[in-house]
Amino acid sequence: MTDEDRLLPIANVGRLMKQILPSNAKISKEAKQTVQECATEFISFVTCEASEKCHRENRKTVNGDDIWWALSTLGLDNYADAVGRHLHKYREAERERTEHNKGSNDSGNEKETNTRSDVQNQSTKFIRVVEKGSSSSAR
Amino acid sequence: MAENNNNNGDNMNNDNHQQPPSYSQLPPMASSNPQLRNYWIEQMETVSDFKNRQLPLARIKKIMKADPDVHMVSAEAPIIFAKACEMFIVDLTMRSWLKAEENKRHTLQKSDISNAVASSFTYDFLLDVVPKDESIATADPGFVAMPHPDGGGVPQYYYPPGVVMGTPMVGSGMYAPSQAWPAAAGDGEDDAEDNGGNGGGN
């Protein structure tokens, strides 16, 4: 991978930075590059922690739960709280979309089978997210 | 044919009931800045449309898979990371801006980000990415040296070895020699400790 591929796009990073600062604020190019590198390191750091959890549990796919757990473990509690809610909302929307597709598409048994399996998996994860949320609140 | 639709009670659940906002749980990243605090309260209260993304998912996935231990990544993981990363950029930028304002500047500099990272222990994992600028470190009042550990030695510090304090004790001449010796020894010890402390601070 080239250096540019290794990092988040600096234009997106700069735009996010600009949105939160006052209108009279200016951002040096070095500052944008530094935040760009920090954000990339943030992803790698959390991913590494999530990946280790997957290995311990003999799983090969890093999912949203693992990232939520990693954020909590690494002391990034604000992120874990907000991300937990975001993950829950996403799965809810995915479940609704899946049910909608199932209703409008009665042909193709194989596809339906995959859809049902997906729904079951999401339900399981949904329950787990709720439990983790409770645990987080207890702390 | 009549089919039973599985209408789970899950749909009845309200987000706010399941995950009440934890206003009191902002200890590790709490900030006295009201704008930053309000940002985090807002993030925990509302869930923005996950389709409205500011960061490209493909790039996030590529960064995740750069780790050789990562085999497969579920579709939801980059979406969750896009949200987390967006909050990270906003949080770090605001903390850095506070540093720029402390120095009466309107341009965000790299040193502001270094100082913001150094000030938040939850961002310690970034210390290698953003090494501390030596000149900034010495200039920043936040890096004042630790106070002298030997509290008892402080009074001695105000009387340098060269100063003679014999005048008030002329009337008690017979005690002068015994008092003078311990004072001198104490001064010596204080000097040594001060030097050590300064070295550690720098």
Side-chain angles (χ1 to χ4, degrees), chain B residues 90-137:
Chain B
V90 168
D91 181 82
L92 184 57
T93 300
M94 276 205 276
R95 289 172 188 270
S96 303
W97 177 248
L98 294 176
K99 299 296 177 183
E101 280 187 328
E102 285 175 10
N103 291 287
K104 307 291 192 294
R105 283 188 280 98
H106 291 303
T107 302
L108 199 66
Q109 304 282 0
K110 178 173 182 176
S111 57
D112 300 319
I113 300 168
S114 301
N115 289 331
V117 165
S119 301
S120 305
F121 67 89
T122 49
Y123 288 153
D124 280 353
F125 65 93
L126 298 170
L127 291 175
D128 291 337
V129 177
V130 193
K132 194 178 301 177
D133 189 344
E134 289 296 334
S135 60
I136 298 297

Side-chain angles (χ1 to χ4, degrees), chain A residues 12 26 79 85 88 91, chain B residues 19 44 54 76 108 123:
Chain A
N12 297 69
K26 292 182 173 60
Y79 294 91
R85 186 184 305 274
H88 164 66
R91 286 174 171 167
Chain B
Q19 297 180 350
M44 294 182 195
Q54 306 256 20
E76 65 191 13
L108 199 66
Y123 288 153

Side-chain angles (χ1 to χ4, degrees), chain B residues 48 61 74 115 167 199 202:
Chain B
S48 61
K61 183 173 181 180
S74 73
N115 289 331
T167 306
N202 294 328

Side-chain angles (χ1 to χ4, degrees), chain A residues 1 4-5 7 12 17 24 26 28 31 55 60-64 79 81 85 88 91 137 139, chain B residues 15 19 22 25-26 44 47 54 59 62 69 72 74 76 81 88 93 106-108 110 113 123 130:
Chain A
M1 290 193 297
E4 285 188 1
D5 283 349
L7 300 170
N12 297 69
M17 294 175 72
N24 69 332
K26 292 182 173 60
S28 74
H55 278 292
K60 287 189 175 180
T61 305
V62 176
N63 60 32
Y79 294 91
D81 286 347
R85 186 184 305 274
H88 164 66
R91 286 174 171 167
S137 300
R139 279 206 296 268
Chain B
D15 272 352
Q19 297 180 350
S22 53
Q25 295 181 6
L26 297 170
M44 294 182 195
V47 178
Q54 306 256 20
R59 187 66 60 86
K62 192 173 293 185
D69 288 332
M72 287 184 286
S74 73
E76 65 191 13
F81 252 129
F88 171 84
T93 300
H106 291 303
T107 302
L108 199 66
K110 178 173 182 176
I113 300 168
Y123 288 153
V130 193

Side-chain angles (χ1 to χ4, degrees), chain B residues 61-82:
Chain B
K61 183 173 181 180
K62 192 173 293 185
I63 293 168
M64 291 182 73
K65 299 204 75 175
D67 188 331
D69 288 332
V70 173
H71 298 294
M72 287 184 286
V73 173
S74 73
E76 65 191 13
I79 292 173
I80 265 48
F81 252 129

Side-chain angles (χ1 to χ4, degrees), chain B residues 162-182:
Chain B
V163 175
V164 177
M165 301 181 291
T167 306
M169 298 187 292
V170 170
S172 309
M174 65 168 56
Y175 297 109
S178 61
Q179 289 183 6
W181 281 104

